[in-house]
Amino acid sequence: MSLVNKSKPIIFLIEDDLDDQYMFKMVLKTLNLEADVVTFEDGLSAYQTLSTVCTMDNELSQRNLPDLILLDLNLPIWDGKKTLAVLKKDQRLKSIPVIIYTTSKSEYDIADCYELGANSFISKAAGYGMLQNQIKNMFTYWFTTVLL
């Protein structure tokens, strides 16, 4: 997916913890990292939104699809693994990078998520300074180093 015709990247943050949503947005603001962050508290509502965007005019839908999806594992309705599996099986959405962004450090979760098609697995940093560094590195990698 290209950032052509976009002034800044679109990130879908699928996270049910409102404090984590707030912290993510605060770090972006503090670091002057520009992105349109669209939040969802469960995987089903995120998938429904993505499906709706895909039914739009092709050019319009390409501009409105996210450049990156950050997905927590512990979510209501559809948990992160179910959401990941559905996203990666959908031909219209499978090329969108999905980063598992969770508190889990379980080897089982890591292996399972990569098997389901995750592009990265990041365990959330505990302290604010470490969180800033983690998010800055994530942005540098996904929006500067990698070609989307």
Side-chain angles (χ1 to χ4, degrees):
M1 183 173 309
S2 170
L3 294 180
V4 176
N5 298 326
K6 290 185 189 179
S7 59
K8 51 190 165 179
I10 298 171
I11 298 173
F12 276 22
L13 176 61
I14 308 172
E15 168 63 67
D16 65 323
D17 187 315
L18 299 180
D19 290 335
D20 284 353
Q21 288 181 14
Y22 175 78
M23 292 296 289
F24 184 83
K25 290 176 182 179
M26 282 305 302
V27 168
L28 293 184
K29 187 174 185 176
T30 301
L31 296 175
N32 293 315
L33 298 172
E34 292 196 27
D36 286 326
V37 179
V38 181
T39 57
F40 299 91
E41 294 180 27
D42 67 86
L44 177 60
S45 62
Y47 180 73
Q48 289 171 333
T49 298
L50 286 163
S51 292
T52 300
V53 169
C54 286
T55 62
M56 297 176 171
D57 170 82
N58 192 34
E59 183 181 333
L60 181 61
S61 72
Q62 288 300 311
R63 286 194 311 244
N64 289 297
L65 284 173
D67 299 291
L68 193 64
I69 296 172
L70 298 178
L71 177 61
D72 189 21
L73 289 181
N74 300 312
L75 297 168
I77 305 174
W78 282 10
D79 69 11
K81 290 181 184 178
K82 175 171 176 74
T83 304
L84 175 62
V86 170
L87 290 172
K88 291 303 181 177
K89 286 180 183 171
D90 190 316
Q91 294 299 315
R92 305 165 302 172
L93 305 171
K94 70 179 186 177
S95 65
I96 300 170
V98 178
I99 311 321
I100 301 303
Y101 191 58
T102 186
T103 55
S104 175
K105 294 181 180 181
S106 160
E107 289 181 21
Y108 172 77
D109 283 340
I110 295 167
D112 208 22
C113 288
Y114 281 122
E115 188 172 317
L116 290 169
N119 297 90
S120 291
F121 190 106
I122 298 174
S123 185
K124 296 175 187 172
Y128 189 74
M130 293 182 348
L131 182 64
Q132 283 182 315
N133 191 46
Q134 189 177 62
I135 291 173
K136 180 181 177 185
N137 289 339
M138 187 187 323
F139 260 69
T140 300
Y141 181 75
W142 286 103
F143 299 121
T144 303
T145 305
V146 172
L147 298 177
L148 296 175

